[in-house]
Amino acid sequence: MDTFSNLIGGEWTEGPGITENINPSNTDDVIGRYAQGDAAQANAAIAAAKAAAPSWARTNVMVRHNILKAAAAEIFARAKELGDLLAREEGKTLAEGIGEAGRAGQIFDFFAGECLRLAGEKVPSIRPGVEIEITREPMGVVGMITPWNFPIAIPAWKIAPALCYGNTIVIKPAELVPGCAWALADILKRAGLPDGVLNLVMGKGSVVGEAILSSPDVDAVTFTGSVATGKHVAMKCAEHMRKVQLEMGGKNPLVILDDADLDIAVDCAVNGAFFSTGQRCTASSRLIVTEGIHDRFVEATIAKLQSLSVDDARKDGTHIGPVVDAKQLDTDMNYIEIGRGEDGARLAWGGERLNRATPGFYLQPALFTETSNDMRINREEIFGPVATVLRVKDYDEALAVANDTRFGLSSGICTTSLKYASHFKRNAEAGMVMVNLPTAGVDPHVPFGGRKGSSYGPREQGRYAAEFYTTVKTAYQLA
Ligand code: ADP
């Protein structure tokens, strides 16, 4: 079986430990053996990134462009194979995996272009004979801690802008999905990235992640993951007065009004709530439905759920793959029990553990109806294929319920009314708003991020990524 090492200072380096990457669709299938780094390896990676930073910051933009472009080209060429690896290690369907790999390619492509569009400003001073230049400079060494649910897209949307704007990197991917991050590191190394510019240290959050957070030589940290770990990351960064960017959870509402197109509403709900096994921070976990369409919507949604196949992620015809691991499955089952125990709530569909041909973490999507917004299943992020329906009187109540959450990542509405669509776009307390579209599923070239407890710090993706990956310099000169 193949063994995969960490990349430190341009050298593939075995870890002090090793871990098996397991397929959640078939726990007998071991994808590979991956290095598990320790604090010493993390520190060596940080030192390598620090040493490489000055020259990478000055690298000709055409060189950066060529490397990012070559990486994009290889990702596109290998999208099927990378998508298969992704589906095998994370459990989203093959089609979703290939789509995500393609998206990683698009992100590298976008930032390859951005390398050639870097610019500053020259402005007149209020003092005679003085010229002012405003420029952006790289942050330096960026620490990246990534989650398991988008194993290639999230590393890509942190690595590509970091490199474009001249930073060096130490990345620690989630323990469950080292394969895609390793593949990206390998692609970038072969694309000609100089030694030490990108360092990959796989391993535990409490060991490698903690070492990144504790190092005075890391200039900025970007994190995607849970709220609890995100808070810890922010506190550690405050200790070092270090720039930080956090993307965390969601409890995203999808409002369905009486005047909605029922087919669009059901598609948005089922896709948003259950595709990718509901394991997206942008998943529509609260379906807020007005009275006039409520019963028709619930009936049609259940009919659609009945037609979906939950099975091996890489099997033809699978709509929903397994839950990522035993721990997440326990969490999901636990919340389903909590929901069943709530006064009034009804488990209208699913929620059963499923057996398939191979041992895997299969769970039937669960839909609760007659829920209220104060129930735990409506307050806490579950991160699985579990959604609730909340019955509301009218648009005003729907909007109030949609915003009554400590999260604020993505908010959706299904309506044919221009008035309500426009009002919702202005008044939804979220970083992203979707009209007649699922709450999940975003473009790669525009800002991504949320409000309230969902995000902290500057936005990711598109040109807005520069806010995090650069620092502004204002230079004055007597001409
Ligand atoms: P999840 O529940 O989705 O695994 P986490 O927030 O625990 O979310 O994990 C997201 C990332 O944070 C992973 O790469 C994980 O290893 C890392 N992580 C977990 N704990 C820590 C920690 N104490 N310090 C730094 N990173 C951590």
Side-chain angles (χ1 to χ4, degrees):
M1 180 180 307
D2 290 338
T3 304
F4 299 87
S5 295
N6 286 327
L7 182 62
I8 301 172
E11 297 291 327
W12 292 111
T13 313
E14 280 180 22
I18 203 138
T19 178
E20 290 186 336
N21 187 358
I22 305 285
N23 176 353
S25 298
N26 176 7
T27 53
D28 292 336
D29 175 28
V30 181
I31 299 159
R33 293 156 62 79
Y34 286 79
Q36 277 237 308
D38 59 5
Q41 281 203 331
N43 288 326
I46 293 164
K50 190 178 176 186
S55 86
W56 182 248
R58 286 191 304 272
T59 302
N60 184 312
V61 289
M62 200 59 166
V63 172
R64 286 189 222 166
H65 167 84
N66 287 338
I67 292 170
L68 294 185
K69 188 101 185 145
E74 180 168 341
I75 294 168
F76 286 133
R78 290 174 55 196
K80 275 198 179 141
E81 173 214 333
L82 292 168
D84 184 73
L85 169 66
L86 201 167
R88 192 171 165 206
E89 72 175 351
E90 198 267 354
K92 65 182 67 173
T93 64
L94 189 55
E96 289 171 329
I98 294 170
E100 187 183 326
R103 177 147 158 228
Q106 290 165 347
I107 292 166
F108 275 96
D109 218 14
F110 176 85
F111 283 105
E114 283 303 287
C115 293
L116 304 179
R117 282 187 286 268
L118 300 175
E121 289 174 70
K122 189 154 192 169
V123 294
S125 167
I126 60 166
R127 287 175 278 171
V130 172
E131 288 180 344
I132 304 176
E133 284 167 4
I134 305 168
T135 52
R136 287 185 177 272
E137 295 187 355
M139 289 301 300
V141 176
V142 180
M144 302 181 174
I145 299 175
T146 57
W148 48 259
N149 65 330
F150 284 94
I152 197 160
I154 293 180
W157 85 46
K158 295 185 190 298
I159 290 171
L163 295 178
C164 167
Y165 297 118
N167 300 278
T168 60
I169 297 166
V170 177
I171 180 165
K172 189 212 86 66
E175 289 140 85
L176 288 176
V177 293
C180 287
W182 189 93
L184 276 186
D186 173 53
I187 288 168
L188 282 159
K189 180 171 163 56
R190 285 184 295 94
L193 200 63
D195 292 353
V197 175
L198 172 77
N199 302 275
L200 169 77
V201 188
M202 300 174 283
K204 284 191 163 51
S206 56
V207 178
V208 176
E210 213 48 61
I212 293 173
L213 297 178
S214 302
S215 170
D217 292 330
V218 173
D219 301 296
V221 170
T222 174
F223 166 87
T224 304
S226 64
V227 175
T229 309
K231 277 190 181 156
H232 173 69
V233 171
M235 307 236 249
K236 292 286 286 192
C237 287
E239 262 176 42
H240 292 267
M241 301 300 282
R242 174 205 284 146
K243 198 169 183 181
V244 64
Q245 176 183 58
L246 310 175
E247 289 299 342
M248 299 169 288
K251 196 70 195 172
N252 308 292
L254 176 68
V255 169
I256 291 138
L257 297 185
D258 285 356
D259 66 15
D261 177 314
L262 187 62
D263 291 341
I264 290 179
V266 171
D267 279 351
C268 288
V270 170
N271 174 326
F274 301 114
F275 285 7
S276 296
T277 323
Q279 298 174 151
R280 295 184 285 193
C281 46
T282 47
S284 323
S285 44
R286 295 182 299 137
L287 309 172
I288 301 167
V289 190
T290 49
E291 281 170 347
I293 197 171
H294 178 278
D295 293 355
R296 278 182 295 140
F297 170 78
V298 168
E299 194 186 322
T301 301
I302 292 173
K304 178 95 183 190
L305 288 175
Q306 284 168 340
S307 74
L308 298 183
S309 150
V310 180
D311 208 327
D312 188 313
R314 293 148 77 218
K315 192 171 145 183
D316 260 1
T318 294
H319 298 101
I320 296 175
V323 172
V324 73
D325 72 346
K327 185 165 152 261
Q328 184 62 48
L329 181 64
D330 272 357
T331 303
D332 298 347
M333 298 298 291
N334 196 29
Y335 273 109
I336 290 167
E337 270 321 296
I338 290 169
R340 278 176 191 271
E342 296 274 17
D343 224 7
R346 203 168 78 78
L347 181 58
W349 169 255
E352 298 295 325
R353 231 355 217 110
L354 298 172
N355 288 318
R356 290 296 177 254
T358 48
F361 307 112
Y362 298 106
L363 175 61
Q364 203 175 26
L367 185 71
F368 283 95
T369 54
E370 310 303 341
T371 71
S372 60
N373 206 35
D374 55 359
M375 293 176 179
R376 279 187 65 190
I377 49 171
N378 281 321
R379 308 296 318 166
E380 298 168 22
E381 185 178 47
I382 300 172
F383 221 64
V386 183
T388 65
V389 177
L390 296 112
R391 187 197 293 264
V392 292
K393 198 165 70 265
D394 55 16
Y395 170 75
D396 290 341
E397 188 185 352
L399 177 65
V401 171
N403 286 339
D404 177 15
T405 168
R406 68 193 166 103
F407 295 106
L409 190 56
S410 182
S411 271
I413 188 166
C414 291
T415 178
T416 50
S417 152
L418 182 61
K419 181 177 102 177
Y420 290 134
S422 308
H423 190 272
F424 191 79
K425 278 195 280 183
R426 283 196 303 275
N427 292 285
E429 292 168 6
M432 295 173 294
V433 184
M434 308 290 182
V435 179
N436 294 320
L437 288 167
T439 55
V442 295
D443 279 18
H445 63 305
V446 287
F448 176 94
R451 297 183 188 177
K452 303 203 264 186
S454 288
S455 305
Y456 187 83
R459 288 282 183 269
E460 301 199 78
Q461 301 205 62
R463 300 189 101 169
Y464 285 69
E467 296 299 328
F468 176 72
Y469 291 100
T470 64
T471 180
V472 170
K473 179 175 275 175
T474 314
Y476 296 80
Q477 184 173 2
L478 185 61

